[in-house]
Amino acid sequence: MNFSWQNIIDGNGIGITITGMMIVFSGLLFISLFIAVLPRVLKLKDHFTSSPKTTAEVPATVAAPPSEEEIMAVISLVLHLELERSLGEGHKLTISRQKRQGSIWASAGKMRSLSEGGTHA
Amino acid sequence: MNFSWQNIIDGNGIGITITGMMIVFSGLLFISLFIAVLPRVLKLKDHFTSSPKTTAEVPATVAAPPSEEEIMAVISLVLHLELERSLGEGHKLTISRQKRQGSIWASAGKMRSLSEGGTHA
Amino acid sequence: MNFSWQNIIDGNGIGITITGMMIVFSGLLFISLFIAVLPRVLKLKDHFTSSPKTTAEVPATVAAPPSEEEIMAVISLVLHLELERSLGEGHKLTISRQKRQGSIWASAGKMRSLSEGGTHA
Amino acid sequence: MGMFYTFLENTGFAAMTWGNFLMIIIGIVFITLAITKDYEPLLLVPIGFGVVVGNIPPVAGMALSVYDDGSVLQYIYFGVSQGVFPPLIFLGIGAMTDFSTMLSNPKLILLGAAAQVGIFLTFIGALYLGFTPSEAGAIGIIGGADGPTAIFLSSKLAPHLLGSIAIAAYSYMALVPVIQPPIMKLLTTKNERLIRMKTPRQVSRKEKIIFPIGAFLICGLIAPGSMVLIGMLFFGNLLKESLVTDRLANTARNAMIDIVTILLGFSVGASTAAKYFLTSQSLLIFGLGALSFCIATAGGIMFAKFMNLFLKDKINPLVGAAGVSAVPDSARVVHTVGLQEDPANFLLMHAMAPNGAGVIGSAIGAGILWTVLVL
Amino acid sequence: MGMFYTFLENTGFAAMTWGNFLMIIIGIVFITLAITKDYEPLLLVPIGFGVVVGNIPPVAGMALSVYDDGSVLQYIYFGVSQGVFPPLIFLGIGAMTDFSTMLSNPKLILLGAAAQVGIFLTFIGALYLGFTPSEAGAIGIIGGADGPTAIFLSSKLAPHLLGSIAIAAYSYMALVPVIQPPIMKLLTTKNERLIRMKTPRQVSRKEKIIFPIGAFLICGLIAPGSMVLIGMLFFGNLLKESLVTDRLANTARNAMIDIVTILLGFSVGASTAAKYFLTSQSLLIFGLGALSFCIATAGGIMFAKFMNLFLKDKINPLVGAAGVSAVPDSARVVHTVGLQEDPANFLLMHAMAPNGAGVIGSAIGAGILWTVLVL
Amino acid sequence: MGMFYTFLENTGFAAMTWGNFLMIIIGIVFITLAITKDYEPLLLVPIGFGVVVGNIPPVAGMALSVYDDGSVLQYIYFGVSQGVFPPLIFLGIGAMTDFSTMLSNPKLILLGAAAQVGIFLTFIGALYLGFTPSEAGAIGIIGGADGPTAIFLSSKLAPHLLGSIAIAAYSYMALVPVIQPPIMKLLTTKNERLIRMKTPRQVSRKEKIIFPIGAFLICGLIAPGSMVLIGMLFFGNLLKESLVTDRLANTARNAMIDIVTILLGFSVGASTAAKYFLTSQSLLIFGLGALSFCIATAGGIMFAKFMNLFLKDKINPLVGAAGVSAVPDSARVVHTVGLQEDPANFLLMHAMAPNGAGVIGSAIGAGILWTVLVL
Ligand code: NA
Ligand code: NA
Ligand code: NA
């Protein structure tokens, strides 16, 4: 390997660099402009085709105030989701993993399926 | 492309069509007959080899009446399954998704794993 | 095919067998020794670089005694995990499966996605 | 600066044709229909985006498009061009299909056979228009209303038409809720549409397990050309119904079919570069495709009416329209049209039987056409 | 009408042989055993259905079977014939295996070495029967009681016997609960079967993480031929034990291994077309295979008894039977036989150590045979 | 006994070189860093174990290593050497990325363009050191701080350097939390680091759906060479944002990306056999790679300061450092450095915009280099 400025000239390094940076910039600049214009275009379009449908749909989901049981259920659900997430992140809750493994050992006749009992298993 | 009835004769269109429909019909007719006969054959076979095993297994699962806690737990479970299903169907519950995403951002040192925390993540 | 002791000699059967068993044994013996030595090496290393970090981390997770709601939530969670596991094992709980299937039929415009609504669906 | 102009000449702007532009619009329309109308989104979104990608003009000398040797898109398209993806999709479909209603009412299976008349009449039509027999066979299969089957047969009989045939098949499958109802109403009287059918009997687990094996043997022996598609369909179904291989069925109908669907849809879309796709042949194929869906629908309905001449427990002839495959959309269309006449007449369950039979029927049809036209 | 007869001649009915018929029955028996007896369903169901599909007589001139160039089944079978699938299955197995008990009682590893005597004695037996050394090596590996290893080595040493060897290996692995107990009872006294073993110590996370790396280096350096199988096994295990790559381990042991299992089982089954499978060689292979399982089981048990001559904490010799791989069925068999003598003697945990060692041992054995017989 | 010595000669012990030994240590260091420091574990663990496997000396005459025709590792490596894996990873990344912050603050996108100066200056540097233009282009892309892009471009421009470039790219990506902070502090004043930015506005669902299509068209037309990478990225994002294809997005960002990550990481690692990897070229590449990360970081920061000259709502120049890709680690680094000055200044959201733009920018850069250097 020979270090030399001539290599850069031979390889058209400066030209490619300038061209390259110009194109990268113009590409992302176009995207930037596209994004900036997009909400205005959409608002303009909505102006012409005013549709109250979307707003009407939402209230349907807001129902009666939750009963005590429902609140309890939601708590347990949140706990579950939280647990599931943390299991996915770094397995601090080894207790539940161990349990699952155990239950599979106990089941009969599954040879190569020593999975830990994810939803797939 | 020249449109012509002669093409059909040259390509043996009528013959293939008749043969084809006959075979399709005979195939599905055989399946139909097979299905129609199957339960009778099975009943006949059961008649010879009467096994009261299967009926005996069922009652084992019907246990003591559920306690209040169990009922509560089942409610929350149903809620969870319902939620999971609707998440799968069309993501109306954006709240929970947002939360999951957030918790992943907060966790340290996971570069390309910006999953939304499904059971796989 | 001709049965003959000469085949064994021609194929160097005895040599390969002895060599093979020696290598298999030495491989697993090395692993066995490696495993036997490993905890001592680790203990020795910990002796030199005593780090009370790992022990300090644990108590952080042991928090205030759980409230009644939390206990309830945990019950339901365990029930859910148990259910999930048994669904994975042999589908005794056909009720919940049926329900999921039903809800997918009801949803509009999903052609080839008749999944049973696992977490993937 | 010369370098910059050289590069500019190689941007897509310079090489863009009106054809590419038109195709990109079509791709965006596909995506829009999928999102706003919920027409077959799992296929139209991948295909639509693929169409957009496939119509960015590639640079000569670079391996970019589906048609350039050694390009990434070509490797992905390999599963389409060699017909590998369709059987894998059938595996997943098998693992998610419940054949119970079919098992409980075997008569309805024949409706799935009748609807295949769409395949063969379209075949004749394509011959008439001057397509070669092989091409005509591949075009005819659009009438089977089954995307994977159409791709599989095209890859064997007429690879150069694969893109057009696949896009036509999936487009019309997505438009089933638009195409079928008028035909259904035209060919049936109000009284016929009001017919209520008997609740199907309960099917035992044993029947469900034996069915995929027995049905496969029948199809495989009668039309060995359908062996791979039908084999995978019933293999998936056995994985599901045996209950002991539940984790495999689960993966087949989730991760596996999803991966294949993504790759298939995207690469089929990407194969529709204007240069190859915008031909008069494609237009004819789209015309024949629309016709074939109508014929298939009519075939199913009319055969149901014919069967009613002999049956005591009458069939609601609407159910015949589900004999085209298009699972489960055509069954849902039947259900919806039925509800319009009688809000308490639930035809969905009954329509699933010819719907499943339609899948099997068009796979057999594909096997026959392959055998007859390749040998 | 001539067309119809031509087609009829090409249906499966005409070309069906008694061999095909027999094989289809065998396939159905596999499926039945899997479902009713719960013998290895995850493998016997795919293999069984594959056998049925592979014995539908293909049509000459159409690319249908595993043996026809360019057929879909051949593309799927590629992962088997090139030995790609087995290492991917080992990856998944590694990601689901807990080597804790092995780590806590390293002595038991040697039982997994002793059981490999089944491989080499079967190799000698196959030589005696007139197989070539390469063929004999591939047949011998059945004694490893490990399906993926058997397929891997066969694909390298004797591709033409791959079907028979794979089917034999998986059949006997499924029959482990039938084959092993009589041998175990024959070779042990009641007192030996009553031996209780000490509860294994707790293993630290660090040990679990270092183990797969160290054990891989030992195996890879001693028998480089086992590098791919063993490498994937311990790679999967590292993904699991490192805890920081849990999502990868999860996918490896779920979606990924499931997909590979489906494709492997189905295409191995489909490769058993009667024409290639029903030979006198296959019969000999099945005979040798049964023998090899018995020898391997006996080898493990007898070596445990031999070790007891020198040990203070005696090993229950039943545990030696788990030295064949067949994870985790042979460990469960040990457990069950142990419980029959003493309902409070739980051998499962202890049996897992030689069970895991058996997997490693047979992969080393495969590496040796490959090296010695290919060079 | 001669046989035994022959075998011994073929064990890894005999063929082991100091280079292999060094590489195995490096592999173990990668794994250790991933586990103890949590640096990019999803990539460093597979790569690290792959390095260990790839440096077990293979046996001459056996198809074992990535470089042996017909070996299993070569089949897996095919997805790397042909550039198939990187677009599939981009698909998954697209399906997990939320471009909301970018949509709400389009100005920040330009920071993602500025950081690509690292690519082109490194390209010049590599030319100076005597690399051929193609090699220099492939080396330059390390400055894009994006593993899949680096592998993709190397596979097209300089396959013989792929291993070194990939390892360099991933190593420095893992070291982002070490490399970037000093540069960020050096180039910014305390007051600049204290700048608080406005809360981004809410983005509508429509914008999110239209964005991937529009942005793809812009990128694809301007730099068709980036079509495959960018196409897959935005295809994945459309699957996610359209909401109607949620199951596909789910599989793309879970099972699919996991499978590809495992195979890519492992086989890239296994391609670093000392014989091919330990060259003076690799050393130069590692040097240039470190430089390129520093230049890219500086480029983003300095351009943010430049933009501030014209803006009323000032940008916190730390955010510019996230213009290198390295998603999401560099965004997190920005967040952390920001918190050190002002514990109530949450920059993470803002940093995600240039972070995403950096991915797009380096893919465009790769497309340009490919076009210019291949034609
Ligand atoms: Na059909
Ligand atoms: Na073994
Ligand atoms: Na970048």
Side-chain angles (χ1 to χ4, degrees):
Chain A
M1 306 231 125
N2 66 320
F3 301 176
S4 150
W5 297 108
Q6 189 56 39
N7 294 334
I8 299 175
I9 294 158
D10 293 348
N12 197 5
I14 310 296
I16 291 176
T17 296
I18 293 172
T19 310
M21 282 308 287
M22 277 175 68
I23 296 168
V24 169
F25 257 103
S26 59
L28 288 172
L29 191 67
F30 277 127
I31 292 180
S32 180
L33 293 173
F34 166 66
I35 289 175
V37 167
L38 186 57
R40 286 167 224 178
V41 173
L42 287 175
K43 205 173 284 173
L44 216 82
K45 208 203 100 202
D46 279 1
H47 215 73
F48 286 98
T49 63
S50 56
S51 60
K53 257 185 288 175
T54 43
T55 38
E57 269 173 26
V58 179
T61 57
V62 185
S67 71
E68 203 176 313
E69 282 90 350
E70 283 175 348
I71 288 169
M72 205 129 292
V74 166
I75 289 169
S76 73
L77 171 71
V78 167
L79 190 91
H80 166 68
L81 289 175
E82 201 54 26
L83 207 110
E84 195 176 54
R85 192 178 51 68
S86 45
L87 271 171
E89 293 284 14
H91 280 274
K92 259 122 213 170
L93 288 142
T94 36
I95 320 126
S96 75
R97 282 180 80 212
Q98 226 87 13
K99 277 190 68 174
R100 285 166 164 205
Q101 194 115 3
S103 63
I104 273 160
W105 285 118
S107 79
K110 281 222 166 163
M111 195 145 175
R112 298 215 161 278
S113 64
L114 328 179
S115 143
E116 288 178 21
T119 43
H120 260 300
Chain B
M1 308 232 124
N2 66 318
F3 300 176
S4 151
W5 296 108
Q6 188 57 38
N7 294 334
I8 299 175
I9 295 159
D10 293 349
N12 198 5
I14 310 295
I16 290 176
T17 296
I18 294 172
T19 310
M21 282 308 287
M22 277 174 68
I23 296 167
V24 169
F25 257 102
S26 58
L28 288 172
L29 191 67
F30 277 128
I31 292 181
S32 179
L33 293 174
F34 165 64
I35 289 175
V37 167
L38 186 57
R40 285 166 224 179
V41 172
L42 287 175
K43 206 172 284 173
L44 216 81
K45 208 201 101 204
D46 279 1
H47 215 71
F48 285 100
T49 62
S50 55
S51 59
K53 257 187 287 177
T54 42
T55 38
E57 268 172 27
V58 178
T61 56
V62 184
S67 70
E68 205 176 313
E69 282 91 350
E70 283 174 349
I71 289 167
M72 205 130 295
V74 165
I75 290 169
S76 72
L77 171 71
V78 166
L79 191 91
H80 166 69
L81 289 175
E82 200 55 27
L83 208 111
E84 195 177 55
R85 191 178 51 68
S86 45
L87 272 169
E89 293 283 13
H91 280 273
K92 259 122 214 170
L93 287 143
T94 36
I95 320 126
S96 75
R97 283 181 78 211
Q98 226 86 12
K99 278 190 69 174
R100 285 166 164 205
Q101 194 115 5
S103 63
I104 274 160
W105 285 117
S107 79
K110 280 222 170 165
M111 195 144 172
R112 298 214 160 278
S113 65
L114 329 178
S115 144
E116 287 180 23
T119 42
H120 260 301
Chain C
M1 307 229 124
N2 66 319
F3 301 176
S4 152
W5 296 109
Q6 189 57 40
N7 294 333
I8 300 176
I9 295 160
D10 293 349
N12 197 5
I14 310 296
I16 291 176
T17 296
I18 293 172
T19 312
M21 282 309 288
M22 277 175 67
I23 296 168
V24 169
F25 257 102
S26 58
L28 288 172
L29 192 66
F30 277 128
I31 292 180
S32 180
L33 294 174
F34 165 65
I35 289 175
V37 167
L38 186 57
R40 284 166 225 178
V41 173
L42 287 175
K43 206 174 284 173
L44 215 82
K45 208 201 100 204
D46 279 1
H47 215 73
F48 285 101
T49 62
S50 56
S51 59
K53 255 187 288 177
T54 42
T55 38
E57 266 173 28
V58 178
T61 55
V62 185
S67 70
E68 203 175 315
E69 282 92 349
E70 284 174 349
I71 289 168
M72 206 129 293
V74 165
I75 289 168
S76 71
L77 171 72
V78 166
L79 191 90
H80 165 69
L81 289 174
E82 200 54 27
L83 207 108
E84 196 175 55
R85 191 177 52 67
S86 46
L87 272 171
E89 294 283 13
H91 280 273
K92 259 123 212 169
L93 288 143
T94 36
I95 319 127
S96 74
R97 282 180 80 212
Q98 225 87 12
K99 279 189 69 176
R100 285 168 163 201
Q101 195 116 2
S103 63
I104 273 161
W105 285 118
S107 79
K110 281 222 169 166
M111 194 143 173
R112 296 213 161 279
S113 64
L114 329 178
S115 144
E116 287 179 22
T119 43
H120 260 299
Chain D
M1 246 1 342
M3 152 87 41
F4 187 66
Y5 291 116
T6 315
F7 186 86
L8 265 193
E9 276 165 32
N10 284 315
T11 61
F13 294 114
M16 192 87 178
T17 65
W18 282 107
N20 290 135
F21 186 74
L22 177 64
M23 289 306 295
I24 288 173
I25 300 292
I26 291 175
I28 292 173
V29 168
F30 272 40
I31 296 169
T32 312
L33 284 178
I35 295 175
T36 60
K37 300 274 182 185
D38 215 20
Y39 289 159
E40 280 262 39
L42 297 179
L43 286 161
L44 288 200
V45 171
I47 291 177
F49 201 88
V51 169
V52 174
V53 171
N55 279 284
I56 298 292
V59 182
M62 289 173 76
L64 281 170
S65 85
V66 160
Y67 299 103
D68 299 326
D69 280 346
S71 74
V72 171
L73 288 182
Q74 196 183 52
Y75 286 120
I76 295 175
Y77 190 65
F78 186 85
V80 174
S81 63
Q82 299 299 309
V84 177
F85 287 157
L88 298 182
I89 289 198
F90 264 54
L91 178 77
I93 293 175
M96 51 175 81
T97 303
D98 187 340
F99 285 109
S100 293
T101 43
M102 190 192 285
L103 287 166
S104 69
N105 197 348
K107 280 192 300 289
L108 298 179
I109 290 176
L110 295 180
L111 301 176
Q116 308 317 319
V117 74
I119 294 177
F120 293 99
L121 292 190
T122 311
F123 167 66
I124 289 183
L127 282 177
Y128 171 74
L129 294 183
F131 286 98
T132 69
S134 285
E135 290 173 343
I139 294 166
I141 206 68
I142 301 175
D146 195 286
T149 303
I151 289 175
F152 184 81
L153 191 65
S154 307
S155 74
K156 303 297 176 193
L157 290 182
H160 56 294
L161 299 181
L162 199 157
S164 313
I165 290 171
I167 301 287
Y170 281 118
S171 306
Y172 294 125
M173 280 163 68
L175 291 173
V176 150
V178 178
I179 296 173
Q180 289 201 316
I183 302 170
M184 290 159 76
K185 285 173 189 162
L186 189 75
L187 295 178
T188 52
T189 65
K190 189 179 174 66
N191 275 343
E192 285 173 333
R193 292 200 291 277
L194 285 171
I195 293 173
R196 292 207 184 177
M197 293 169 72
K198 277 209 286 190
T199 315
R201 70 173 176 86
Q202 201 63 29
V203 176
S204 75
R205 197 192 140 194
K206 260 189 194 165
E207 284 176 73
K208 286 189 184 181
I209 292 175
I210 295 172
F211 167 69
I213 303 170
F216 167 72
L217 283 173
I218 293 169
C219 297
L221 288 171
I222 282 187
S226 68
M227 189 160 86
V228 183
L229 285 174
I230 294 274
M232 282 295 188
L233 181 76
F234 286 128
F235 175 38
N237 193 242
L238 181 65
L239 290 181
K240 170 175 180 280
E241 299 299 353
S242 78
L243 302 194
V244 290
T245 51
D246 208 70
R247 62 172 290 165
L248 300 184
N250 217 341
T251 295
R253 75 177 154 243
N254 287 309
M256 194 168 176
I257 197 173
D258 287 349
I259 291 173
V260 176
T261 300
I262 290 170
L263 299 179
L264 179 146
F266 184 74
S267 61
V268 161
S271 75
T272 64
K275 195 168 77 173
Y276 303 92
F277 189 83
L278 288 182
T279 61
S280 60
Q281 287 197 324
S282 291
L283 268 180
L284 291 175
I285 288 171
F286 268 77
L288 285 165
L291 198 70
S292 73
F293 264 64
C294 301
I295 297 173
T297 306
I301 296 170
M302 295 312 290
F303 196 76
K305 295 174 75 162
F306 173 73
M307 282 173 76
N308 274 347
L309 299 177
F310 310 96
L311 292 175
K312 220 184 69 189
D313 293 329
K314 301 294 183 201
I315 299 169
N316 186 321
L318 292 178
V319 164
V324 311
S325 312
V327 180
D329 263 13
S330 65
R332 271 215 292 270
V333 165
V334 167
H335 187 66
T336 313
V337 174
L339 286 182
Q340 284 167 10
E341 300 292 339
D342 173 1
N345 192 5
F346 304 111
L347 293 174
L348 186 61
M349 290 272 279
H350 304 289
M352 283 312 294
N355 213 183
V359 175
I360 301 168
S362 49
I364 295 178
I368 297 163
L369 286 172
W370 187 17
T371 309
V372 169
L373 297 171
V374 132
L375 291 184
Chain E
M1 237 26 309
M3 152 88 38
F4 187 67
Y5 291 116
T6 315
F7 186 88
L8 265 194
E9 276 165 31
N10 285 315
T11 61
F13 293 114
M16 191 88 179
T17 65
W18 281 107
N20 291 135
F21 187 75
L22 177 64
M23 289 306 296
I24 290 173
I25 300 292
I26 290 175
I28 293 173
V29 168
F30 272 41
I31 297 169
T32 312
L33 284 178
I35 296 175
T36 59
K37 299 276 181 182
D38 216 19
Y39 289 159
E40 280 262 39
L42 297 180
L43 286 160
L44 289 200
V45 171
I47 291 176
F49 202 89
V51 169
V52 173
V53 170
N55 281 284
I56 298 293
V59 181
M62 289 174 75
L64 281 170
S65 86
V66 160
Y67 299 102
D68 298 328
D69 282 345
S71 75
V72 171
L73 288 182
Q74 196 185 51
Y75 286 120
I76 296 175
Y77 190 64
F78 185 86
V80 174
S81 64
Q82 299 299 310
V84 177
F85 287 157
L88 298 181
I89 289 199
F90 263 54
L91 178 77
I93 293 175
M96 50 174 84
T97 302
D98 187 341
F99 285 109
S100 293
T101 42
M102 190 192 286
L103 287 166
S104 70
N105 198 347
K107 280 192 302 288
L108 297 180
I109 290 175
L110 295 180
L111 301 176
Q116 308 317 320
V117 73
I119 294 177
F120 293 100
L121 292 190
T122 312
F123 167 66
I124 290 182
L127 281 178
Y128 172 76
L129 293 184
F131 286 98
T132 69
S134 286
E135 290 172 343
I139 294 166
I141 206 68
I142 301 175
D146 196 286
T149 303
I151 289 175
F152 184 80
L153 191 66
S154 307
S155 75
K156 303 298 176 194
L157 291 182
H160 56 293
L161 299 180
L162 200 158
S164 313
I165 291 171
I167 301 286
Y170 281 118
S171 306
Y172 294 126
M173 282 163 67
L175 292 173
V176 150
V178 177
I179 296 173
Q180 290 201 314
I183 301 170
M184 290 159 76
K185 285 173 190 162
L186 190 74
L187 294 178
T188 53
T189 65
K190 189 178 173 67
N191 275 343
E192 284 172 334
R193 292 199 292 276
L194 284 172
I195 294 174
R196 291 207 185 179
M197 294 170 71
K198 278 208 286 190
T199 315
R201 70 172 177 87
Q202 201 63 30
V203 176
S204 74
R205 197 191 140 194
K206 261 189 194 164
E207 285 176 73
K208 286 189 184 181
I209 292 175
I210 294 172
F211 167 69
I213 303 170
F216 167 72
L217 282 172
I218 293 169
C219 297
L221 287 171
I222 283 188
S226 69
M227 188 160 87
V228 183
L229 284 174
I230 295 272
M232 282 294 187
L233 181 76
F234 285 129
F235 175 39
N237 194 243
L238 180 65
L239 289 180
K240 171 175 179 280
E241 299 299 353
S242 78
L243 302 193
V244 290
T245 51
D246 207 68
R247 61 174 289 164
L248 300 183
N250 216 340
T251 295
R253 75 177 153 243
N254 287 308
M256 195 166 174
I257 198 173
D258 286 349
I259 291 172
V260 175
T261 301
I262 290 171
L263 299 179
L264 179 143
F266 183 74
S267 60
V268 161
S271 74
T272 63
K275 195 169 77 175
Y276 302 92
F277 189 82
L278 287 182
T279 60
S280 60
Q281 287 197 324
S282 292
L283 269 181
L284 291 175
I285 289 171
F286 268 77
L288 286 164
L291 198 70
S292 72
F293 264 64
C294 300
I295 297 172
T297 306
I301 296 169
M302 294 314 288
F303 196 76
K305 294 174 76 161
F306 173 73
M307 282 173 76
N308 274 348
L309 298 176
F310 310 96
L311 292 174
K312 218 184 70 189
D313 293 328
K314 302 294 184 200
I315 300 168
N316 187 321
L318 291 178
V319 164
V324 310
S325 314
V327 180
D329 263 13
S330 66
R332 272 214 292 271
V333 166
V334 167
H335 187 66
T336 313
V337 174
L339 285 182
Q340 284 167 9
E341 300 292 339
D342 172 2
N345 193 5
F346 304 109
L347 293 174
L348 186 61
M349 290 271 280
H350 304 289
M352 282 312 294
N355 213 184
V359 175
I360 301 168
S362 48
I364 295 178
I368 297 162
L369 287 172
W370 188 17
T371 309
V372 169
L373 297 172
V374 134
L375 291 184
Chain F
M1 245 3 342
M3 153 89 37
F4 187 67
Y5 292 117
T6 314
F7 187 87
L8 265 194
E9 276 165 32
N10 284 315
T11 62
F13 293 115
M16 191 89 178
T17 66
W18 282 107
N20 290 135
F21 187 74
L22 177 65
M23 289 307 295
I24 288 173
I25 300 292
I26 291 175
I28 293 173
V29 168
F30 272 41
I31 296 169
T32 312
L33 284 178
I35 295 175
T36 59
K37 300 274 180 184
D38 215 19
Y39 289 158
E40 280 263 40
L42 297 181
L43 286 160
L44 289 199
V45 171
I47 291 176
F49 201 88
V51 169
V52 172
V53 171
N55 280 283
I56 298 292
V59 182
M62 288 173 77
L64 281 169
S65 85
V66 160
Y67 299 103
D68 299 327
D69 281 346
S71 74
V72 171
L73 288 181
Q74 195 184 53
Y75 286 120
I76 296 175
Y77 189 65
F78 186 86
V80 173
S81 64
Q82 299 298 309
V84 177
F85 286 157
L88 298 182
I89 289 198
F90 264 54
L91 178 77
I93 293 175
M96 50 174 82
T97 302
D98 187 340
F99 285 110
S100 293
T101 43
M102 190 192 285
L103 287 167
S104 69
N105 197 347
K107 281 192 301 289
L108 297 180
I109 289 176
L110 295 181
L111 301 177
Q116 308 316 320
V117 73
I119 294 177
F120 293 100
L121 293 189
T122 311
F123 168 65
I124 289 182
L127 282 178
Y128 172 75
L129 295 183
F131 285 98
T132 69
S134 285
E135 290 172 343
I139 294 166
I141 205 69
I142 301 174
D146 196 285
T149 304
I151 289 174
F152 184 81
L153 191 65
S154 307
S155 76
K156 303 297 175 193
L157 291 183
H160 56 294
L161 300 181
L162 200 157
S164 313
I165 290 171
I167 302 286
Y170 281 118
S171 305
Y172 293 126
M173 281 164 67
L175 292 174
V176 151
V178 177
I179 296 174
Q180 289 201 314
I183 301 170
M184 291 160 75
K185 285 175 190 160
L186 189 74
L187 294 179
T188 53
T189 65
K190 189 178 173 65
N191 276 344
E192 285 173 333
R193 292 199 291 276
L194 284 171
I195 293 174
R196 291 208 185 178
M197 295 169 70
K198 279 208 285 189
T199 315
R201 71 172 176 86
Q202 200 63 30
V203 176
S204 74
R205 196 191 141 194
K206 261 190 192 163
E207 285 176 73
K208 285 189 185 181
I209 292 175
I210 295 172
F211 167 68
I213 303 170
F216 167 72
L217 283 172
I218 293 169
C219 296
L221 287 171
I222 282 187
S226 68
M227 188 159 85
V228 183
L229 284 175
I230 295 274
M232 282 295 188
L233 181 76
F234 286 128
F235 175 39
N237 193 243
L238 181 65
L239 289 181
K240 171 176 179 279
E241 298 299 352
S242 77
L243 302 194
V244 291
T245 51
D246 207 69
R247 61 173 289 165
L248 300 184
N250 216 341
T251 295
R253 75 179 153 242
N254 288 308
M256 195 168 175
I257 198 173
D258 287 349
I259 291 172
V260 176
T261 301
I262 290 170
L263 299 179
L264 179 144
F266 183 74
S267 62
V268 161
S271 75
T272 64
K275 193 168 79 174
Y276 303 93
F277 189 83
L278 287 182
T279 61
S280 60
Q281 287 197 325
S282 292
L283 268 180
L284 291 175
I285 289 170
F286 268 76
L288 285 165
L291 198 71
S292 72
F293 264 64
C294 300
I295 296 172
T297 306
I301 296 169
M302 296 313 289
F303 196 76
K305 295 174 75 161
F306 173 73
M307 282 173 75
N308 273 347
L309 298 178
F310 309 96
L311 292 175
K312 219 184 70 189
D313 293 330
K314 301 294 184 202
I315 300 169
N316 186 319
L318 291 178
V319 164
V324 310
S325 312
V327 180
D329 263 11
S330 65
R332 271 214 293 269
V333 165
V334 168
H335 188 66
T336 313
V337 174
L339 286 181
Q340 284 167 10
E341 300 291 338
D342 173 359
N345 193 3
F346 304 110
L347 293 174
L348 186 61
M349 290 271 280
H350 304 290
M352 283 313 293
N355 214 184
V359 175
I360 301 169
S362 49
I364 295 179
I368 297 163
L369 287 172
W370 187 17
T371 309
V372 170
L373 297 171
V374 133
L375 291 184

